[in-house]
Amino acid sequence: MGGDRSATRGRRSQMNRRQVLATSVLAMLPAPALAGASEPALSSPVVGTSWYPEQWPMEAWARDLDLMREAGLKVVRIGEFAWSRMEPLDGRFDFDWLDSAIAAAGSRGLQTVLGTPTAAPPVWLTEAHPEVLRVVENGEVQGHGERRQFSVASSTYRRYAVRIASEMGRRYGRNSNVAGWQIDNEIGLETFDAEAKVRWARWLEGRYRTIDGLNDRWTTAYWSQTYQRFDQVPLSLGPDQNPALVLDARRFFSRLWADYVSDQAAALRVSSAPDQFVTTNSTLWNNHFDQHLVHQTLDQAAWDLYAPSGRPDWAGNALHHATVRGYKQRAFWVMETQPGYVNWGPLNRSMDPGETRLMAWQAVARGADAVLYWQWRSALGGQEQYHGTLVGPDGTPAAVFPEVAQTAHEFAMASPFLQGSAPQAEIALVYDQDSRWALEQQRHAEDYDPTGVMKAWHRPLYDRNIDIDVIGPEQDLNRYRLVMAPALHLVDADLAGRLSAYVEQGGWLVLGPRSGMKTEDNALWPNGQPGPLAALLGVKVDGFYALDDERPLEGSWSAKARVWAETIRPVASDVEVLARYAVGGWTQGQPAIVQRRVGQGGTVYVGALLDETGQGGLTDRILSSAGLKPGLPWVPAGVEASMRAGPAGVCWFLLNTSSQAAAIEFPPGARIVVGRLVEGRLGPQDLVVVRQGASQGAEEVRTSSRL
Ligand code: GLA
């Protein structure tokens, strides 16, 4: 890549108003701490962007990359849809352009994340091997021109995918400008092609050994469903199919995706340096596969954070960041986020000034090490011409550019204080993918939305500025003082045993409605709800009722049941009733929420979905039972506060997501690292990062009512 300097000169002479603004913002910012020679190539957190050099002539690259450098960007993600450019003909590879792109980025201090291009197969591949095409459940075969038109079950496709991944690994696995790998792009679509069906029969045989075993566990005597051979079993996600079959089909697709990812990860790792990470990028509340399974062979998690309505759901995003952090229980990346607006919602409103920066900082506050904008520059053609970008099609900065540049420079300023740090949580919310799938097929009340229930349980914790981890039921519970499982519908004896042990040893376990109703086969427990949890909870759930009204509860705080109400019968004598239904047919006077002290800890069983006030009161009650102090009284309403702690001490992130300035009084010893207060007030859509020294431990800071 020659001509960088003249390109820069040319660009400067064409500066428009936004560029001047961007430059003046940069000039106002203190210089970022410089990375020492011994520090890693990427000193997190960093800002980056998706860049598609294959869509532009090489001559256009220098200008784009110079501007990225000027904005303080540190990462470009390249290649995830460029298969036809990397392998224009079967087995004929052309990486010269990619060599140049990576080198050009590297020469400007930009590290590359390389995407394996398998989300977009070239036409020669699907033409020569039409059996690799994805088939939707109604039999329609997906064609060329969009993307993700391949079958995850196809061994031919897997072979081609592994081959291109191996080629890339061999070529770039030791390239010091390549920080890591992204496998495919937003994986997950199901396929119902012939090979998928063969694999399904094989998977079932592996799981059940005999067809009689399957018939028994699936209750196929129902509606004459009895199968004689595994290859008779339909592969289906149909809403009216046998719930056991549908849940297994979901598990089967999870397995396919986990194998697909691990095949590519293995191919990359043959030649790549150990410090190159391998990840894949996922989506909000992805429901196509079990994330914990798919992440087993990955180094870190990543997700694509979008607010298509242009109105960020701050509490929802905080929860989902924690969810993604939980896949590997370590720092994650936001691999894509919107520069202002997207193009795929019903109405693609732009986020307001300040919100793009706030959203990036929220990600870091919740444990992200990188935030990458999708995308740098809009291609002139193709399907996404209306999407938000950092620069326009002419290469000049978009309105949001200065905000992103400011964020990038602020990340660099905070970086020395954030190395090796992570959010600290004493509370875990349990997310169980199998339970979600089971509940979604049989909601019984259409408003019973398992992720909505997660959000409703999380909301009062968020409002009280209490951070949480989100874990799968198989993960270690003993790290937490309080474990809340809003939707643990499927519980087997092993899980029940682990939950009991956790409580016996001093943990507090809070279970939501519909807990312990089903076996791992999605069948009702023969002893009724709560199945194997009955001994621990000391109750029997006598009945469940879908509600079209709100039913007030009687208890020590104000609450109403909505959507769902169960009637609970205490069986053990030490079960304490916390709330009863005050009115309403079958539920009148019946226990709705119960508590029991067990061993060193305790359990709370919540048999109803509650209104917001009720859930808030319940949260306060549980926090006090578990001996946890609520939030941070010094942080005013409308300001989100969260914390990361690490070797360099503790950093607090105060984000004003409201439209009002908020007065904040910092305690002695606190030092602002990023942002500022004006006359003691934090402006709307503004933030500060506040630091405390390493001498003060995370525990000490968290539990103090003032910093
Ligand atoms: C997804 C994809 C990207 C792009 C963006 C647009 O996240 O991964 O390739 O299409 O959406 O928002």
Side-chain angles (χ1 to χ4, degrees):
M1 293 289 303
D4 295 352
R5 284 198 183 159
S6 58
T8 307
R9 267 202 307 275
R11 190 187 53 69
R12 288 237 167 90
S13 64
Q14 296 163 16
M15 267 190 175
N16 66 15
R17 204 185 59 78
R18 276 191 206 124
Q19 283 170 302
V20 173
L21 182 59
T23 312
S24 59
V25 167
L26 303 188
M28 280 159 43
L29 295 165
L34 290 174
S38 61
E39 287 182 53
L42 283 179
S43 199
S44 63
V46 288
V47 171
T49 188
S50 289
W51 179 49
Y52 297 95
E54 72 274 19
Q55 296 170 3
W56 296 95
M58 266 191 183
E59 305 74 62
W61 295 358
R63 182 179 169 197
D64 281 336
L65 292 167
D66 285 341
L67 201 48
M68 287 181 207
R69 175 177 53 189
E70 202 170 312
L73 270 52
K74 298 288 180 212
V75 184
V76 282
R77 187 193 59 170
I78 311 182
E80 80 277 12
F81 299 116
W83 198 342
S84 64
R85 188 75 194 272
M86 293 182 204
E87 191 180 355
L89 291 171
D90 194 345
R92 172 129 19 115
F93 298 98
D94 173 9
F95 288 116
D96 292 349
W97 67 276
L98 193 52
D99 296 349
S100 304
I102 294 168
S107 71
R108 290 156 176 92
L110 289 149
Q111 286 276 297
T112 292
V113 171
L114 269 182
T116 65
T118 50
V123 73
W124 56 256
L125 198 169
T126 52
E127 188 181 51
H129 304 282
E131 75 280 8
V132 308
L133 288 170
R134 187 165 63 84
V135 177
V136 292
E137 190 161 357
N138 68 10
E140 192 182 295
V141 182
Q142 301 302 286
H144 202 74
E146 295 189 34
R147 54 182 171 179
R148 307 188 182 110
Q149 69 269 35
F150 67 92
S151 160
V152 63
S154 162
S155 38
T156 303
Y157 196 76
R158 294 248 192 113
R159 204 171 57 245
Y160 276 99
V162 161
R163 187 174 75 178
I164 187 80
S166 307
E167 289 291 329
M168 292 176 78
R170 217 178 353 262
R171 197 160 182 112
Y172 302 111
R174 302 276 157 182
N175 186 319
S176 60
N177 289 320
V178 175
W181 301 90
Q182 173 190 299
I183 291 174
D184 207 281
N185 187 79
E186 295 187 349
I187 59 169
L189 294 183
E190 296 81 13
T191 183
F192 299 84
D193 60 281
E195 192 168 347
K197 289 175 183 168
V198 170
R199 284 181 186 262
W200 166 235
R202 228 184 287 145
W203 183 88
L204 289 171
E205 187 167 6
R207 183 171 172 87
Y208 294 102
R209 304 289 165 206
T210 67
I211 196 69
D212 288 346
L214 177 147
N215 281 318
D216 183 41
R217 285 171 61 181
W218 284 16
T219 321
T220 56
Y222 205 80
W223 290 353
S224 198
Q225 288 172 43
T226 312
Y227 298 101
Q228 299 150 315
R229 299 185 315 276
F230 288 107
D231 62 7
Q232 292 172 326
V233 182
L235 174 58
S236 173
L237 296 175
D240 298 326
Q241 258 293 355
N242 185 329
L245 181 152
V246 172
L247 181 58
D248 269 352
R250 294 273 184 207
R251 290 173 174 145
F252 164 69
F253 286 122
S254 282
R255 185 72 259 164
L256 288 183
W257 281 114
D259 292 347
Y260 176 84
V261 160
S262 83
D263 282 358
Q264 286 201 36
L268 292 168
R269 286 195 182 111
V270 168
S271 344
S272 63
D275 62 346
Q276 287 185 341
F277 64 80
V278 182
T279 188
T280 191
N281 57 333
S282 187
T283 50
L284 182 75
W285 297 118
N286 182 308
N287 209 17
H288 292 285
F289 53 82
D290 180 340
Q291 295 278 7
H292 291 266
L293 182 72
V294 166
H295 278 84
Q296 273 174 6
T297 55
L298 295 174
D299 300 314
Q300 69 179 44
W303 77 290
D304 298 347
L305 161 65
Y306 287 105
S309 66
R311 300 198 183 275
D313 172 4
W314 299 107
N317 289 344
L319 174 60
H320 203 265
H321 285 310
T323 302
V324 176
R325 194 172 76 224
Y327 300 159
K328 297 301 289 183
Q329 298 199 297
R330 55 166 294 191
F332 62 96
W333 278 32
V334 171
M335 197 59 92
E336 298 180 13
T337 192
Q338 70 201 52
Y341 52 90
V342 301
N343 69 323
W344 43 265
L347 189 154
N348 301 296
R349 181 183 186 276
S350 179
M351 295 196 302
D352 287 328
E355 287 185 330
T356 301
R357 168 175 171 249
L358 222 48
M359 202 151 90
W361 268 111
Q362 188 194 36
V364 169
R366 305 288 169 170
D369 267 356
V371 176
L372 274 63
Y373 289 87
W374 197 95
Q375 60 172 325
W376 172 253
R377 179 173 180 174
S378 176
L380 300 180
Q383 278 90 328
E384 298 175 297
Q385 291 150 314
Y386 273 92
H387 202 284
T389 52
L390 293 181
V391 299
D394 60 353
T396 62
V400 76
F401 183 96
E403 214 177 285
V404 171
Q406 179 182 354
T407 308
H409 285 82
E410 288 175 346
F411 278 13
M413 281 154 54
S415 173
F417 311 113
L418 293 175
Q419 294 312 304
S421 71
Q424 311 288 316
E426 290 180 293
I427 301 175
L429 276 187
V430 177
Y431 172 86
D432 178 33
Q433 186 62 56
D434 281 357
S435 291
R436 175 178 170 196
W437 281 325
L439 284 167
E440 283 182 351
Q441 194 187 352
Q442 296 180 313
R443 290 184 179 213
H444 201 65
E446 62 183 348
D447 288 341
Y448 203 112
D449 166 19
T451 53
V453 175
M454 279 285 285
K455 288 169 81 169
W457 279 47
H458 169 251
R459 182 75 211 214
L461 296 163
Y462 173 83
D463 288 343
R464 287 157 183 71
N465 287 313
I466 298 174
D467 206 356
I468 47 114
D469 281 347
V470 178
I471 60 171
E474 73 288 351
Q475 282 171 293
D476 179 20
L477 307 173
N478 295 317
R479 297 165 52 164
Y480 304 99
R481 178 88 189 110
L482 174 61
V483 170
M484 300 173 77
L488 212 47
H489 193 45
L490 268 53
V491 179
D492 61 16
D494 174 61
L495 175 57
R498 290 199 307 111
L499 293 171
S500 299
Y502 164 73
V503 175
E504 288 285 347
Q505 288 155 26
W508 273 83
L509 174 69
V510 185
L511 293 162
R514 304 173 82 157
S515 292
M517 189 160 180
K518 300 274 197 104
T519 69
E520 64 172 316
D521 296 322
N522 210 357
L524 297 171
W525 269 103
N527 62 336
Q529 198 191 350
L533 297 170
L536 172 64
L537 300 176
V539 300
K540 171 99 175 62
V541 178
D542 276 339
F544 57 84
Y545 302 93
L547 305 182
D548 64 359
D549 57 352
E550 289 196 334
R551 299 195 176 173
L553 303 185
E554 274 169 356
S556 57
W557 73 97
S558 160
K560 290 182 191 134
R562 44 182 297 281
V563 182
W564 194 264
E566 289 168 4
T567 50
I568 303 170
R569 176 159 46 93
V571 175
S573 57
D574 54 353
V575 172
E576 186 189 346
V577 176
L578 298 186
R580 291 176 188 274
Y581 302 97
V583 291
W586 300 106
T587 58
Q588 171 113 37
Q590 299 297 316
I593 305 173
V594 295
Q595 176 172 301
R596 187 184 190 202
R597 289 190 176 272
V598 179
Q600 305 298 305
T603 63
V604 175
Y605 185 79
V606 187
L609 294 188
L610 303 179
D611 66 323
E612 213 176 308
T613 310
Q615 190 67 33
L618 172 70
T619 304
D620 287 333
R621 168 78 203 217
I622 292 165
L623 290 173
S624 124
S625 296
L628 289 166
K629 296 194 184 104
L632 305 162
W634 57 273
V635 178
V639 173
E640 174 187 319
S642 54
M643 180 263 268
R644 280 172 65 154
V650 169
C651 278
W652 288 93
F653 305 84
L654 304 182
L655 278 57
N656 187 358
T657 56
S658 78
S659 50
Q660 310 291 325
I664 297 179
E665 193 192 326
F666 291 124
R671 282 175 49 202
I672 292 184
V673 175
V674 166
R676 64 197 176 109
L677 302 185
V678 178
E679 291 168 7
R681 293 155 80 81
L682 181 60
Q685 265 87 53
D686 203 357
L687 64 95
V688 279
V689 180
V690 182
R691 156 177 190 247
Q692 293 198 293
S695 56
Q696 192 165 17
E699 181 61 26
E700 200 182 326
V701 172
R702 188 170 44 233
T703 53
S704 68
S705 62
R706 295 168 66 89
L707 266 175

